[in-house]
Amino acid sequence: MPTDAVSAMRCPVCRGGLSVSPPPRRSLLCSLGHSYDAAKQGYYNFLTGKGTAFEADSADMVAARFAFLDAGHYAPLQELVAETVSASLTGRAGASRKFPSILDAGTGTGHYLRSVLDKAPGAAAVGLDISKFALRRAARLNPDAINVVWDIWQPLPIIDAAMDVVMVVFAPRNPAEFARVLRPGGRLLVVTPLPGHLAEIADRTGMLGIEDNKEDRLAAAMASHFESDGGRNLEFTLHLNPGAVADAAFMGPAGHHLDRSALRAVAASTDDVTEATARFRISLFTPRKHWSGRDEATGDRMEKQQP
Ligand SMILES: C[S@@+](CC[C@H](N)C(=O)[O-])C[C@H]1O[C@@H](n2cnc3c(N)ncnc32)[C@H](O)[C@@H]1O
Ligand SMILES: [Zn+2]
């Protein structure tokens, strides 16, 4: 059980700190007695009993993403994310904790966090995702992280200023909460697809297009809580067999609307190997020293000065 990560977490009900239960150490507990048992695969579900308005990725979508990532098609992106996160962890001026800490918001199958932890062994890591199908896989891939079913749009089960890095790879962004959980001087890393990403297969497979001004919209959406800290683009060529073409389409947001077997038939009618260009942007942000917003619990306007 990665106890350093647990010390960065708070109870989703009363917001008190969490600790690990006595042996066999399979539960997380707060001092008011709220208790969360590990599922047999090792993840925790903090959303039990609460409805959520968001459509989680299905088991099939998660299986497609797992197969695609496990085949290494996005390895150059995983490598660059891992390098960027580990560079952000060196020095850690202003950090109050002994071990570096990382939040992977929308961790999915956990492949990106795995690459990060391989480069930063010993880091305390929490992976959040709304899909329990994704977390079953993530918990197996990253037993050295705490993996929790949670909705990024809700107040996060993480204590204030606990994280050195928050990483968000193709997942929803909650700027106020990311700013709250990052320590002063911490870093937010956001990965988004660029216009033209997988354009060669997009039309054929019904994938959703990427808007041209997505980068500006990202900066604008983050501006209330974050200052831009640069970033870089990454482009590389994929060589995809028909199964991988179908997986690429099915694992993204369009997967909610596509029929997997029809997609496989379309993909199978194409060349043995299709070349497609992956285009990504890694954007970096640092929390603003001073921001104003609404209190998450009361909805009141508030001003916050980072210590
Ligand atoms: C496109 S996937 C990316 C997953 C992973 N980061 C990757 O790149 O492989 C988006 C992920 O965000 C998760 N997700 C979507 N809405 C969410 C929410 N409101 N709260 C938490 N996770 C969410 C999905 O379940 C999915 O695993
Ligand atoms: Zn509690």
Side-chain angles (χ1 to χ4, degrees), residues 35-142:
S35 158
Y36 307 90
D37 296 337
K40 79 170 184 298
Q41 298 86 353
Y43 68 89
Y44 297 87
N45 189 350
F46 282 8
L47 273 183
T48 358
K50 239 194 247 170
T52 170
F54 296 94
E55 191 179 8
D57 284 8
S58 66
D60 272 354
M61 287 170 68
V62 170
R65 187 170 313 119
F66 187 89
F68 189 88
L69 294 177
D70 228 44
H73 293 302
Y74 282 175
L77 176 61
Q78 281 176 233
E79 183 62 20
L80 185 58
V81 167
E83 264 171 29
T84 311
V85 171
S86 73
S88 300
L89 294 176
T90 48
R92 301 176 66 237
S96 56
R97 290 163 175 270
K98 191 162 153 218
F99 297 100
S101 46
I102 301 163
L103 172 66
D104 186 11
T107 191
T109 54
H111 281 81
Y112 294 89
L113 185 56
R114 182 68 265 144
S115 302
V116 165
L117 289 174
D118 287 344
K119 270 229 160 51
V126 178
L128 301 179
D129 203 285
I130 204 165
S131 165
K132 66 173 190 268
F133 303 112
L135 280 193
R136 282 178 189 165
R137 310 248 185 190
R140 273 194 222 115
L141 200 58
N142 302 325

Side-chain angles (χ1 to χ4, degrees), residues 173-186:
R173 296 168 288 270
N174 181 339
E177 279 297 281
F178 293 165
R180 180 183 66 74
V181 304
L182 271 172
R183 70 167 172 81

Side-chain angles (χ1 to χ4, degrees), residues 26 40 56 71 102 107 136 157 159 186-187 189 200 239 252 268 285:
R26 295 280 298 167
K40 79 170 184 298
I102 301 163
T107 191
R136 282 178 189 165
I159 63 177
R187 239 172 179 194
L189 175 151
E200 297 89 339
H239 301 272
F285 298 91

Side-chain angles (χ1 to χ4, degrees), residues 67-279:
F68 189 88
L69 294 177
D70 228 44
H73 293 302
Y74 282 175
L77 176 61
Q78 281 176 233
E79 183 62 20
L80 185 58
V81 167
E83 264 171 29
T84 311
V85 171
S86 73
S88 300
L89 294 176
T90 48
R92 301 176 66 237
S96 56
R97 290 163 175 270
K98 191 162 153 218
F99 297 100
S101 46
I102 301 163
L103 172 66
D104 186 11
T107 191
T109 54
H111 281 81
Y112 294 89
L113 185 56
R114 182 68 265 144
S115 302
V116 165
L117 289 174
D118 287 344
K119 270 229 160 51
V126 178
L128 301 179
D129 203 285
I130 204 165
S131 165
K132 66 173 190 268
F133 303 112
L135 280 193
R136 282 178 189 165
R137 310 248 185 190
R140 273 194 222 115
L141 200 58
N142 302 325
D144 43 351
I146 300 277
N147 294 283
V148 181
V149 178
W150 191 248
D151 177 0
I152 290 171
W153 296 117
Q154 307 290 328
L156 302 179
I158 305 289
I159 63 177
D160 292 1
M163 293 293 165
D164 291 293
V165 169
V166 174
M167 54 187 270
V168 195
V169 184
F170 315 126
R173 296 168 288 270
N174 181 339
E177 279 297 281
F178 293 165
R180 180 183 66 74
V181 304
L182 271 172
R183 70 167 172 81
R187 239 172 179 194
L188 170 66
L189 175 151
V190 178
V191 180
T192 45
L194 285 171
H197 174 59
L198 302 187
E200 297 89 339
I201 61 170
D203 285 350
R204 211 181 330 151
T205 55
M207 289 169 75
L208 306 176
I210 316 285
E211 314 91 9
D212 269 344
N213 58 354
K214 198 166 174 163
E215 201 180 321
D216 294 343
R217 291 202 300 130
L218 172 64
M222 306 314 286
S224 55
H225 296 80
F226 287 93
E227 281 167 37
S228 176
D229 190 19
R232 59 174 280 194
N233 293 355
L234 175 68
E235 189 171 310
F236 55 94
T237 306
L238 300 171
H239 301 272
L240 303 174
N241 65 24
V245 169
D247 286 341
F250 202 69
M251 71 187 205
H256 290 292
H257 318 288
L258 298 172
D259 172 347
R260 196 176 189 198
S261 48
L263 196 56
R264 281 190 171 270
V266 172
S269 68
T270 63
D271 302 344
D272 283 350
V273 175
T274 305
E275 281 198 0
T277 314
R279 294 186 172 88

